[in-house]
Amino acid sequence: MLRRQLLAWPAWLLRGAPGAAGRPVGPLARRGCCSAPGTPEVPLTRERYPVRRLPFSTVSEQDLAAFERIVPGGVVTDPEALQAPNVDWIRTLRGSSKVLLRPRTSEEVSHILRRCHERNLAVNPQGGNTGMVGGSVPVFDEIILSTARMNQVLSFHSVSGILVCQAGCILEELSRYVEERDFIMPLDLGAKGSCHIGGNVATNAGGLRFLRYGSLHGTVLGLEVVLADGTILDCLTSLRKDNTGYDLKQLFIGSEGTLGVITAVSILCPPKPRAVNVAFLGCPGFAEVLQTFSTCKGMLGEILSAFEFMDAVCMQLVGRHLHLASPVQESPFYVLIETSGSNAGHDAEKLGSFLEHALGSGLVTDGTMATDQTKVKMLWALRERITEALSRDGYVYKYDLSLPVERLYDIVTDVRARLGPHAKHVVGYGHLGDGNLHLNVTAEAFSPSLLGALEPHVYEWTARQQGSVSAEHGVGFRKRDVLGYSKPPEALQLMQQLKALLDPKGILNPYKMLPSQA
């Protein structure tokens, strides 16, 4: 028999813990509450890192006048208004841009880039600025090109589930739009309240639904992109099948704004599941986490939509900094399992059988399950808000790795032993179903010696396992010089050739993606 406590709701779920139902409201809260008054100013990137400004022009009064004609009322030069868009989400990088442009249409983007191309002005495309690798903020004085006002849904087909929208649409608002029409977005992220769909595509964001629906390389059907010289590339098809020549949209998915500025997206949305169940379980060890995943795939099959894991330190930090209590007894590891299907009774029966087996075999020591949407969100908050809790713990060194699933946690143990008392906390969590580990190290403040102990060790360790140094966060500024750990020289050379072909002056998101020697 299934233990009663497995289905019993803890008091914090029933009364609703403060902030437990999702990310906190408000732009500062969505940015991890890092911008509160009294927060130390972030050092300039150019002062912290050995990077040299490339020979781009600087913005003149004539340029500002031209931009004002292109986007009336959409030119921002107020230093106070430019503070936030110059700083990355985890508050470790800061540019010194003096101009932010806010176009509404692809035609306006085209005119802006044509002017910048003629004048050799560097441009930093920016969506919701929720990236983890510094890809969305300037390094020096690049013009920030914001897609925030490009936020219109262009069309939605209720039979095919194909959504066409501008790049500045916020993911959470798109989710709400399609859910009202009985569909869902094929990706879900902790930053969904702030991130833009164009930024998601530009970084090939993975997220919480990757296990079920795959990557954006498969769900994006078409793109509209403005090239560096202002050319509008209209590949905004809504066709599921199109074998006419090169699939050019794939070049821009994951290109991080270095090849072109995505202005519109056509994306395939799956039907909204009629039944969603979430189980939150405690496991005695990582070996049991792996066995639970294998058993889960075998017993839940087609209804399995997410399998996330987190270690005990993650739960401690979520409790300490966000006051979210664990719904299960203390365990070395926790897993969150989501099922999505069309028959509530059928899905609940399958999940119940799996949980009974997992408890009976010792894979799981305790657990709880939710079917009500409010309680489902509360359980997801424990996983989604880990990043926020870490940001409140101090300076965070973040690593987003793809590894063979059986070695996924080994590097956490390795780094914990390597750093010892020099680190405040070393944690591991992520998308076990995708082989994606988020390794995070917190310290009281940035330390060059601690960084030296972490890098290149983490990347070398990953390379020995034939892993990837960036599973879903992208490359950006932070990882451009470690691509060689995951890509052969021939691949890097081809990437550089593509960049030179599409952006010969190098004005689009410079200092990002490609190795600095390029």
Side-chain angles (χ1 to χ4, degrees):
M1 290 292 292
L2 192 64
R3 286 164 56 182
R4 180 180 298 274
Q5 69 190 59
L6 185 68
L7 301 178
W9 286 106
W12 74 272
L13 283 179
L14 294 175
R15 67 173 178 266
R23 287 156 306 289
V25 279
L28 295 186
R30 283 185 179 131
R31 294 173 65 79
C33 300
C34 295
S35 303
T39 303
E41 186 175 54
V42 179
L44 287 167
T45 303
R46 68 171 186 260
E47 295 176 358
R48 173 176 281 182
Y49 294 92
V51 57
R52 181 179 300 176
R53 187 184 186 276
L54 296 174
F56 297 113
S57 302
T58 56
V59 178
S60 66
E61 290 297 327
Q62 291 81 6
D63 293 322
L64 290 177
F67 293 142
E68 186 62 42
R69 289 192 295 272
I70 296 169
V71 281
V75 180
V76 179
T77 56
D78 176 32
E80 187 172 345
L82 285 165
Q83 286 182 12
N86 265 302
V87 178
D88 74 323
W89 189 84
I90 55 177
R91 294 186 59 78
T92 58
L93 299 171
R94 180 163 67 95
S96 51
S97 176
K98 297 176 174 59
V99 181
L100 181 146
L101 305 178
R102 305 180 77 225
R104 292 184 183 275
T105 68
S106 56
E107 287 74 20
E108 290 178 351
V109 174
S110 173
H111 289 306
I112 289 169
L113 290 186
R114 187 173 296 123
R115 173 78 184 193
C116 292
H117 187 260
E118 291 170 354
R119 286 271 297 116
N120 196 35
L121 294 167
V123 178
N124 183 101
Q126 187 176 93
N129 195 15
T130 59
M132 299 287 192
V133 291
S136 60
V137 290
V139 175
F140 291 97
D141 57 347
E142 301 89 271
I143 295 168
I144 299 174
L145 179 60
S146 170
T147 58
R149 295 206 294 183
M150 303 180 69
N151 57 3
Q152 300 299 305
V153 171
L154 304 177
S155 67
F156 181 75
H157 198 286
S158 59
V159 175
S160 65
I162 296 172
L163 170 73
V164 181
C165 63
Q166 287 185 297
C169 291
I170 293 172
L171 180 59
E172 190 170 49
E173 294 178 4
L174 290 178
S175 294
R176 192 177 302 118
Y177 177 90
V178 297
E179 283 178 21
E180 290 171 355
R181 291 155 178 81
D182 290 327
F183 287 83
I184 62 171
M185 294 298 291
L187 76 160
D188 187 24
L189 309 171
K192 60 188 171 188
S194 302
C195 64
H196 296 183
I197 188 64
N200 299 152
V201 174
T203 58
N204 190 29
L208 306 169
R209 289 177 178 161
F210 190 98
L211 179 64
R212 178 69 171 268
Y213 301 113
S215 83
L216 291 172
H217 280 291
T219 54
V220 171
L221 302 179
L223 293 176
E224 179 185 71
V225 181
V226 181
L227 303 182
D229 64 357
T231 300
I232 298 177
L233 180 65
D234 185 358
C235 292
L236 201 61
T237 178
S238 294
L239 301 173
R240 293 287 302 276
K241 301 175 77 173
D242 180 5
N243 252 357
T244 52
Y246 302 127
D247 191 0
L248 294 178
K249 69 175 181 292
Q250 301 295 350
L251 274 179
F252 302 97
I253 300 174
S255 68
E256 302 185 35
T258 62
L259 301 180
V261 178
I262 295 172
T263 51
V265 177
S266 171
I267 190 166
L268 181 65
C269 300
K272 182 179 179 180
R274 296 179 183 273
V276 176
N277 300 296
V278 170
F280 195 87
L281 315 172
C283 291
F286 192 69
E288 286 77 14
V289 171
L290 292 176
Q291 289 178 276
T292 300
F293 178 52
S294 297
T295 305
C296 190
K297 288 193 294 181
M299 296 187 69
L300 298 180
E302 79 287 350
I303 65 170
L304 178 63
S305 54
F307 192 102
E308 304 287 308
F309 91 99
M310 55 193 282
D311 62 20
V313 184
C314 288
M315 182 64 79
Q316 292 164 13
L317 294 178
V318 166
R320 180 179 308 165
H321 296 297
L322 306 179
H323 310 293
L324 304 184
S326 172
V328 299
Q329 67 186 34
E330 187 175 342
S331 301
F333 292 90
Y334 303 89
V335 298
L336 184 149
I337 298 167
E338 182 188 78
T339 64
S340 303
S342 58
N343 187 312
H346 168 266
D347 295 356
E349 183 178 352
K350 290 189 78 167
L351 184 57
S353 297
F354 159 74
L355 295 174
E356 190 167 350
H357 172 81
L359 272 169
S361 61
L363 297 180
V364 170
T365 54
D366 191 18
T368 189
M369 190 170 74
T371 56
D372 173 79
Q373 188 62 23
T374 300
K375 298 181 179 70
V376 163
K377 287 183 178 179
M378 290 176 179
L379 290 180
W380 265 114
L382 294 168
R383 164 62 185 87
E384 287 187 301
R385 297 183 69 190
I386 293 172
T387 298
E388 182 184 344
L390 286 163
S391 71
R392 299 191 186 192
D393 198 54
Y395 185 90
V396 189
Y397 302 83
K398 290 182 173 289
Y399 301 93
D400 162 49
L401 310 171
S402 270
L403 292 164
V405 69
E406 66 275 6
R407 300 298 309 275
L408 202 64
Y409 199 74
D410 290 353
I411 191 170
V412 182
T413 305
D414 174 273
V415 169
R416 199 171 278 155
R418 180 179 177 86
L419 300 183
H422 300 291
K424 192 173 179 182
H425 293 106
V426 179
V427 308
Y429 66 99
H431 318 295
L432 188 84
D434 315 332
N436 182 186
L437 171 74
H438 296 307
L439 167 68
N440 283 232
V441 177
T442 64
E444 292 296 345
F446 174 77
S447 164
S449 62
L450 188 56
L451 180 63
L454 283 165
E455 299 175 15
H457 176 74
V458 169
Y459 302 126
E460 291 171 346
W461 196 101
T462 300
R464 287 196 297 272
Q465 314 307 318
Q466 286 76 53
S468 170
V469 298
S470 181
E472 64 177 2
H473 289 168
V475 177
F477 173 77
R478 293 179 176 281
K479 295 186 179 180
R480 63 181 185 146
D481 287 326
V482 299
L483 280 190
Y485 290 103
S486 297
K487 289 285 187 287
E490 296 79 10
L492 293 177
Q493 183 180 12
L494 184 57
M495 290 167 65
Q496 291 161 5
Q497 291 170 346
L498 287 169
K499 171 70 171 175
L501 175 67
L502 293 174
D503 181 16
K505 292 187 175 182
I507 66 169
L508 290 179
N509 224 6
Y511 323 105
K512 317 287 174 59
M513 176 71 82
L514 294 172
S516 55
Q517 60 266 29

